[in-house]
Structures are given as C-alpha cells and as structure tokens.
Amino acid sequence: MAVIDRETETALDATRDRHGRTVHHGASAAARDRRAQAALATYATHLAEQGHQLLHAARSGLDQLPPAPHTAAWRDLLDAVADSHIEIVRVLENPAVSGSAGEREQLAAVRPHLAFWADYGSTAADLADQHHRPSPELTAKEKCLWTAKARAARRRGELDPIESWYAADGRLITVAYLVEDDTSTVIALTGDLDAPGWEVIGHYEHESAAGRALPRAVPPGVLRPDAASRFNRPEPTPERPVQELLQEVIEARTAGEVSEALLTAAQQGYEAGPLVRLERLLDTAGRFA
C-alpha cells in the first residue's frame, strides 16, 4: 500500500499548482480511483483469504500478553480491522460494473477500509508474531562475563546500539555492536543503557540471528486511536514555499515587497505561512513525545 500511495501522490502532484491547490479535478479523482483499484487488487491477492486467519492469530497472540492499560484498545482495534475486512471482501465478491457510476461509489466507500488495513494491518501482524518462542538466554555466569565486556566497551566508546524495543514482559531489549580488539560482535542486552542495572543476555553471529533468537517487539499500544490515516490524507492546504518567499525578498525593489513576503511567512489561518506551519510541527511533535 505504501508503494501504491507513493505512486498516487506523484500523480496527484501533477494535478496541483505550485501552491498545492488542485487545478485538474478530473485527473485528481481518476488518480484516487486508480489507487483504490490497485489497493483492492493487492488485497485480493494477499489478504482476502488469509485475513481471518491473521486476525485469529493476532487475537490469540494478544491473549498471551500480560495485561496492560491498552489491551482493551487493541481488542477494539482488531474488531474494527475485522469489520473492514468483511466490507472489503464484500466488494471483491460483488464488484460493480467497470467504469460505471456504481463502481466509483463502491471505490469511494471501500477506500477508508483499505486505508484502515494499510494503517493497522501491521499491528495485527505484530500481535500474531507474539507466538514466536525465543531462544534460551545466557547462563548467569555468561551474563556476568559478557556484561563486564560490554561495560568496558561502553567506557571506551565502542558499544554501538543498533535497535531497541520492548518485549511482552516489559523489558527494554537493545541489540548492539560490541567492538573489542578490532572485532565486532552482535550482542543483546536488557535495561536502559543510560541507567545502571543493564546486562547482556545473548551474543550472536549477526543481526538476523539476534532477531530470530530474541523476544519479539510488542506493538507500541494504540497511541492515537483517532489519528488521521497516512493512506487517506485530506486535500493539502495551499502553501507558499520558503524558497519562493526568499527569492521574492532577494528580488525586492521596495520595503513593501519585503514586508509582504514576511507577512505571508507569518500568516495565520487556512493559508498559513511556513513559520506558522513550523510552529505547528514542533507543537505536534511535542504532544507525540
């Protein structure tokens, strides 16, 4: 779906003017219809028959996780994904006549369900993956030995973290490179590297082996159950690029022209300027954090 969406956004860009306003509405609608058709065909190939099995495995995997505040939200999410699966399969089993007004209505109705699967199908897959059984960890003696090596490497600046995630038991697991005598070993440790108490639980030939041996990551909960879909975005609002405003200042002949550019940059409202949009970006990122 991400590939289909990128292709669609490229096509939609060609229907807009330099400020992001749609000027070729027919071409824009056709591009959105093609996106829904491509997504529907992909769903038919990969998920129409397997969707129920995936959701069953996801619910079963969720049952194995320790209780958490967001468990109920996960269950609600899986129920919603299941409802979307039913609606998509209904369209696949009863397609409208190609090129008809009924087909356009059908595509418009099924598009939100396809976008919902694109946004949250990976969460279902991650929950289903909780059935994975990790390999045994190091013995207590081996943990002490490797933790001492890792702490020494940390002091030398030769412990390079690669990736971190939380496992179902609540532990923070980090995969890192331990460099010692010009050799690099992939290790896994639990705990916060910036706090005391972390320890090494395994060492591996390479990152893939570590991924197979370690507990799977738990999805990060339902952070924003009412979040906008990245695969069904609304029409972008008009925008003046900073580069264009800068060029207007460079080419200005009067102070009024410079003032107009600055006013545009700081303008509030529907056609907000780039300074206002930057402020919104920082505020939104702060709320996410």
Side-chain angles (χ1 to χ4, degrees):
M1 186 65 173
V3 173
I4 295 170
D5 195 60
R6 282 196 299 270
E7 293 172 348
T8 303
E9 285 302 319
T10 299
L12 289 174
D13 283 343
T15 70
R16 299 168 180 148
D17 65 13
R18 60 197 179 108
H19 302 314
R21 291 182 290 252
T22 298
V23 292
H24 303 293
H25 295 279
S28 176
R32 295 178 189 278
D33 286 346
R34 287 194 299 272
R35 175 175 61 182
Q37 289 168 337
L40 198 58
T42 302
Y43 198 95
T45 301
H46 298 287
L47 278 167
E49 295 183 5
Q50 292 81 14
H52 281 303
Q53 295 173 335
L54 172 62
L55 291 169
H56 176 75
R59 290 190 176 99
S60 176
L62 182 55
D63 290 339
Q64 297 183 25
L65 297 181
H70 51 255
T71 299
W74 262 334
R75 294 194 189 283
D76 292 342
L77 178 63
L78 291 177
D79 289 342
V81 171
D83 290 341
S84 286
H85 175 72
I86 292 171
E87 294 300 323
I88 296 169
V89 171
R90 182 179 292 128
V91 170
L92 289 171
E93 292 176 345
N94 301 282
V97 177
S98 178
S100 67
E103 183 189 38
R104 288 191 291 275
E105 292 176 3
Q106 196 175 61
L107 289 174
V110 79
R111 185 182 298 134
H113 296 290
L114 291 164
F116 195 70
W117 259 93
D119 278 317
Y120 296 109
S122 59
T123 300
D126 288 341
L127 289 170
D129 206 25
Q130 296 302 313
H131 292 284
H132 168 73
R133 292 287 178 260
S135 300
E137 298 178 2
L138 297 175
T139 65
K141 183 177 181 179
E142 291 172 325
K143 285 182 180 179
C144 288
L145 174 64
W146 279 92
T147 299
K149 287 184 178 182
R151 290 186 185 279
R154 176 80 164 168
R155 289 191 293 270
R156 297 192 306 269
E158 294 184 323
L159 184 66
D160 299 322
I162 305 168
E163 183 181 5
S164 296
W165 66 87
Y166 282 97
D169 58 9
R171 292 185 299 170
L172 176 62
I173 295 177
T174 299
V175 176
Y177 285 120
L178 189 159
V179 181
E180 191 176 34
D181 298 330
D182 295 327
T183 62
S184 180
T185 305
V186 176
I187 65 169
L189 54 94
T190 59
D192 187 346
L193 272 173
D194 295 321
W198 58 268
E199 67 175 359
V200 176
I201 59 172
H203 58 89
Y204 314 93
E205 293 183 5
H206 43 71
E207 293 178 46
S208 297
R212 291 192 298 269
L214 292 166
R216 293 290 193 255
V218 173
V222 183
L223 296 177
R224 293 182 174 182
D226 58 347
S229 168
R230 70 180 64 188
F231 297 105
N232 198 22
R233 289 175 175 170
E235 184 83 4
T237 54
E239 182 176 4
R240 293 286 299 279
V242 173
Q243 181 175 337
E244 181 177 301
L245 295 174
L246 175 61
Q247 195 62 33
E248 288 185 3
V249 174
I250 293 173
E251 297 169 354
R253 295 293 181 269
T254 67
E257 291 175 317
V258 176
S259 296
E260 185 66 28
L262 292 175
L263 180 62
T264 300
Q267 179 173 286
Q268 301 278 347
Y270 175 68
E271 296 189 12
L275 291 179
V276 175
R277 294 179 191 275
L278 177 59
E279 182 180 28
R280 290 176 185 169
L281 171 64
L282 295 176
D283 287 345
T284 305
R287 288 195 298 273
F288 179 88

